[in-house]
Amino acid sequence: MKSTSQLLNDYADKIISGKTLNRFESIRGAIELEARSTLNYRDSTAQVATLSNGSASCGTDPSVHTNSDYPFTNEMRVKFDMQNIETALLVANEMNRYTETDSSCGLHIHIKASSLVGFSLETTNGVRRLQRILTCLASASKRYELAFYGLSGQRNRVNNSTYSRPLELSTFEQLKSMNPSRLSNLAIGRRTSFLNLTNLSNYDYSPNERTIEFRGFSASPSLNGENTPNVIRAKHVESALFLILNLLSTAMSETSDLNKLRTARKHPLASKSFQWFLHHSCKRPLVKRWENKDLVLQMISYIMQNCQACDAI
């Protein structure tokens, strides 16, 4: 039987040998990173804006608790597409100079819904195409959700109504059976679900600018205790992106027959769930920088390490 390191090496070989899908070039999104404290809010805001050429911004978030050493809460938001992921990672690393996080801080990934379908979401055809993708996405999210929660190295987000909670099975069933005519029909479920669809009815944005959100990650791993201060690192952010983009790839390849979709968890352990995810869902690099085997192997080894730490609790 192969060791975990041998299996990860084989999975890395499989990933880099796959062909990147053209449809992924159109995906757009944004990353939100919460920090529980900021040493110098003004400097961090200015530096982030400079580094990202205006694609990132910082704001205060009253839902994040501060500590006495650093007086400001902070939430960094950076837009990305498949050609500028490096910018988002650079900004995440720069946040280390100004911020401190713990497991209560979230890493939320938004994906522009219109970039998944290639049709206007102001049309019935576009909305129904999105409904099929979201049904498949809900199915895949349920099957592999423990691997995603495992990235944080703690179990505090597995079923926490404040931070995140697993997607309810009723959301999948509603998506599967509905016949939507408007985008807002798809805005079902809880805002704090791992897959948050409520932004699809956010009338502050036009239909083609609205997003779906993934809420399962902490802003930094919590391997030394749930509330131990830590820093935001690009490796952690990139690992979350790797999981979400491969989840989207899986969902977009399963839309032909919704009646064949399953929702049972692949395994009760995060590490084994991640192994199943690598086996079934991670078949291609998706972005150019993931054609580098060393980078991919480091990333999936990091995710596995955190999943194993989560299982040990």
Side-chain angles (χ1 to χ4, degrees):
M1 181 179 293
K2 291 184 177 181
S3 66
T4 299
S5 60
Q6 289 172 322
L7 286 171
L8 293 177
N9 186 74
D10 290 348
Y11 287 130
D13 282 331
K14 181 184 72 170
I15 290 167
I16 65 169
S17 64
K19 182 179 179 181
T20 303
L21 301 177
N22 291 335
R23 65 189 179 193
F24 262 74
E25 295 179 358
S26 64
I27 288 180
R28 303 288 186 271
I31 299 167
E32 294 177 347
L33 283 166
E34 296 174 346
R36 74 171 191 172
S37 56
T38 305
L39 177 62
N40 190 320
Y41 174 73
R42 182 174 296 176
D43 284 354
S44 65
T45 302
Q47 186 69 5
V48 162
T50 300
L51 277 173
S52 65
N53 293 320
S55 66
S57 62
C58 289
T60 56
D61 186 343
S63 70
V64 182
H65 297 293
T66 64
N67 62 29
S68 58
D69 297 325
Y70 300 96
F72 301 103
T73 57
N74 199 6
E75 183 176 76
M76 185 273 287
R77 309 175 187 96
V78 56
K79 297 178 182 179
F80 71 87
D81 57 38
M82 305 308 280
Q83 286 74 47
N84 77 344
I85 283 178
E86 289 87 347
T87 299
L89 302 178
L90 178 66
V91 171
N93 259 356
E94 181 64 20
M95 292 285 281
N96 291 340
R97 295 177 54 191
Y98 304 98
T99 64
E100 189 176 82
T101 70
D102 61 24
S103 61
S104 70
C105 301
L107 190 174
H108 303 157
I109 296 176
H110 289 256
I111 300 294
K112 187 181 292 186
S114 61
S115 71
L116 296 174
V117 297
F119 296 92
S120 171
L121 294 180
E122 295 179 340
T123 67
T124 300
N125 285 341
V127 169
R128 291 182 179 170
R129 171 62 178 164
L130 180 62
Q131 177 240 345
R132 295 187 71 84
I133 292 175
L134 293 181
T135 304
C136 298
L137 190 56
S139 165
S141 296
K142 291 298 296 178
R143 299 199 304 268
Y144 301 110
E145 62 190 6
L146 288 183
F148 295 82
Y149 286 119
L151 177 63
S152 300
Q154 286 280 336
R155 301 188 67 82
N156 67 320
R157 291 178 181 270
V158 174
N159 192 16
N160 187 315
S161 59
T162 301
Y163 304 148
S164 176
R165 62 195 308 159
L167 187 73
E168 294 178 324
L169 185 59
S170 60
T171 300
F172 166 75
E173 298 293 350
Q174 283 182 263
L175 286 168
K176 182 180 174 182
S177 62
M178 73 167 53
N179 189 27
S181 59
R182 300 188 305 275
L183 183 60
S184 59
N185 296 150
L186 300 175
I188 60 175
R190 299 176 184 267
R191 187 186 70 83
T192 56
S193 291
F194 168 77
L195 173 59
N196 171 24
L197 304 178
T198 63
N199 294 325
L200 296 176
S201 63
N202 185 345
Y203 290 96
D204 290 338
Y205 297 90
S206 68
N208 289 318
E209 295 298 315
R210 296 175 197 170
T211 66
I212 60 174
E213 179 187 22
F214 298 91
R215 298 179 56 90
F217 310 111
S218 63
S220 61
S222 307
L223 303 181
N224 298 317
E226 183 173 329
N227 293 311
T228 303
N230 211 326
V231 293
I232 297 167
R233 298 194 185 280
K235 178 169 63 175
H236 188 73
V237 175
E238 185 164 18
S239 296
L241 278 171
F242 175 84
L243 290 169
I244 292 305
L245 292 179
N246 279 285
L247 184 68
L248 288 170
S249 178
T250 300
M252 294 167 75
S253 67
E254 293 182 337
T255 57
S256 59
D257 189 350
L258 301 187
N259 291 319
K260 292 183 178 181
L261 295 175
R262 302 178 303 279
T263 55
R265 285 179 173 174
K266 296 298 291 186
H267 201 279
L269 292 177
S271 57
K272 292 297 184 181
S273 183
F274 179 53
Q275 187 173 323
W276 278 111
F277 184 71
L278 286 171
H279 181 76
H280 287 295
S281 300
C282 304
K283 301 177 181 179
R284 49 185 63 87
L286 297 184
V287 296
K288 185 71 176 177
R289 63 184 273 113
W290 295 344
E291 294 174 1
N292 182 319
K293 180 183 175 180
D294 289 341
L295 174 61
V296 170
L297 183 57
Q298 290 172 14
M299 189 162 47
I300 62 177
S301 298
Y302 172 78
I303 298 171
M304 180 60 79
Q305 171 195 348
N306 290 1
C307 285
Q308 289 171 337
C310 181
D311 290 337
I313 296 172

